[in-house]
Amino acid sequence: MLNSNFTTATQTNNFHNKNFNFYLAGLIEGDGTIIVPTSQRDTKGRLTYPSIQIVFGLMDLPLALMIQKVLGHGSISRKKGINAYILSINNKEGLLKIISLVNGKFKTDKIYGLERLINWYKVKGHTNLTLLPKDISPLGNSSWLAGFIEADGHFSIRTTDSENSTKVECKFELSQAQKNIYGTSYEIMNEISKFLNCSFKEIRIDSKNPQYRIRTLNSNSNLQLINYLTIYPLKGKKHLDYISWLKIANFFINGGKAVSHKDLLPIAKESKSQMNDNRKIFTWDHLAEFYNIEE
């Protein structure tokens, strides 16, 4: 039974459109950059233009290609020295399209970057759009969190096998820099931790880039996450990691404290061997059901 914090979604064209908009907003807010020129020309005298860039891990190239296809704009490149692909949207039509899709869907301080982008086009007379305020609807009511997890979430299975202890644990983590050029991530990370009923703490506090981290610690938190992702599934490589993780997490949810860690250990090790950087087998059938914003 799904948690009461969720709304039941009707499978209509508007539902698909709405969900892509929120998913895209979450993806941009999680691992995207909104670049707005502060001058008309750069130091070499060349005209400057705004852009939106979204970073994808190397294994997520199919997802980047799908989003590029759905948007109908953008180019994908792998920059030297960066272990990732970058989807860049630089043209006016593409950027105005993204603005129209995500306006009113942002939940973080990155909205100030979106505001600068809208104002840049307003000054030039290319749009009459007005920035809509942050979306304050519950996290369980949209696919925004799915996009945010796609950017920075991490599913893990931990196995311990020693003379004194045999243990299997399923965890989900999500980290964000405490501060960025737009503001702070405290508000949204605290909201996510409350939604998932999981831990929320500061990490790397002595480094130049301290972070906030949320982490599920028990089956109740994992079940809340599972309920959410059942309605708003992930679309990239993390979906595959989630399926491997879910196979083990379900043992604890269905069996509770009666689960034998010793019996579960071989299955957990097998799932763990196919997750994250260890994954060698990829199936992208789930992308056949990707959002279609043109319907």
Side-chain angles (χ1 to χ4, degrees):
M1 183 176 179
L2 294 177
N3 188 286
S4 60
N5 288 343
F6 300 93
T7 56
T8 302
T10 304
Q11 296 293 326
T12 65
N13 291 341
N14 287 335
F15 169 78
H16 283 292
N17 292 345
K18 172 187 172 184
N19 274 281
F20 179 76
N21 298 351
F22 274 106
Y23 175 86
L24 182 62
L27 191 63
I28 293 172
E29 292 189 86
D31 213 350
T33 303
I34 301 172
I35 302 169
V36 182
T38 55
S39 60
Q40 188 173 357
R41 295 182 181 273
D42 62 18
T43 55
K44 296 183 179 180
R46 295 171 299 193
L47 289 172
T48 56
Y49 300 94
S51 69
I52 291 178
Q53 298 180 352
I54 308 173
V55 179
F56 297 85
L58 292 181
M59 297 180 187
D60 257 330
L61 179 59
L63 176 62
L65 289 167
M66 178 60 74
I67 292 175
Q68 178 193 39
K69 178 182 178 181
V70 171
L71 288 174
H73 299 277
S75 60
I76 297 173
S77 62
R78 182 181 176 185
K79 293 187 177 180
K80 196 172 183 180
I82 298 179
N83 201 29
Y85 288 101
I86 298 176
L87 171 60
S88 301
I89 300 92
N90 306 308
N91 62 315
K92 180 181 72 174
E93 292 78 9
L95 288 170
L96 289 177
K97 184 173 187 177
I98 291 178
I99 290 171
S100 68
L101 293 175
V102 303
N103 194 16
K105 312 298 188 298
F106 271 31
K107 288 180 172 288
T108 75
D109 286 346
K110 199 167 281 189
I111 193 172
Y112 301 118
L114 183 64
E115 181 179 34
R116 289 197 291 270
L117 181 61
I118 291 174
N119 289 339
W120 193 89
Y121 279 114
K122 269 190 171 181
V123 167
K124 295 182 177 299
H126 296 315
T127 184
N128 58 1
L129 284 173
T130 299
L131 178 75
L132 297 176
K134 285 183 182 179
D135 175 67
I136 58 172
S137 63
L139 286 169
N141 287 8
S142 77
S143 55
W144 182 92
L145 182 57
F148 203 66
I149 290 173
E150 203 87 73
D152 288 312
H154 180 77
F155 297 92
S156 66
I157 298 172
R158 183 179 179 183
T159 57
T160 303
D161 187 18
S162 66
E163 293 182 3
N164 301 321
S165 176
T166 299
K167 193 171 185 179
V168 176
E169 295 176 287
C170 290
K171 297 181 179 181
F172 166 77
E173 295 184 1
L174 193 154
S175 299
Q176 281 278 299
Q178 290 188 16
K179 296 181 180 179
N180 53 54
I181 61 174
Y182 307 102
T184 174
S185 63
Y186 176 85
E187 184 178 343
I188 189 61
M189 293 295 284
N190 187 45
E191 183 179 355
I192 295 171
S193 73
K194 290 180 179 178
F195 173 66
L196 296 179
N197 191 26
C198 66
S199 71
F200 173 40
K201 65 183 295 185
E202 296 178 276
I203 60 173
R204 301 180 182 177
I205 56 178
D206 295 326
S207 70
K208 293 182 179 179
N209 299 299
Q211 297 181 340
Y212 293 120
R213 184 192 69 196
I214 64 163
R215 175 189 282 173
T216 60
L217 298 175
N218 53 52
S219 292
N220 289 333
S221 296
N222 286 338
L223 179 58
Q224 178 76 350
L225 178 62
I226 291 166
N227 285 341
Y228 174 81
L229 292 177
T230 299
I231 298 177
Y232 304 107
L234 298 170
K235 301 297 183 179
K237 183 257 183 188
K238 282 191 178 70
H239 172 77
L240 305 180
D241 291 337
Y242 167 71
I243 295 301
S244 297
W245 176 90
L246 180 63
K247 181 179 179 181
I248 307 305
N250 274 336
F251 278 96
F252 293 101
I253 290 168
N254 296 326
K257 295 181 180 180
V259 172
S260 168
H261 288 243
K262 185 176 181 180
D263 292 342
L264 185 57
L265 188 66
I267 307 172
K269 285 184 174 180
E270 174 61 25
S271 291
K272 181 179 178 180
S273 70
Q274 289 298 319
M275 290 177 62
N276 303 313
D277 293 339
N278 295 323
R279 180 169 294 280
K280 299 295 187 294
I281 300 172
F282 295 83
T283 55
W284 295 96
D285 296 346
H286 59 282
L287 280 180
E289 299 180 2
F290 198 76
Y291 311 108
N292 184 355
I293 63 173
E294 299 303 331
E295 290 184 344

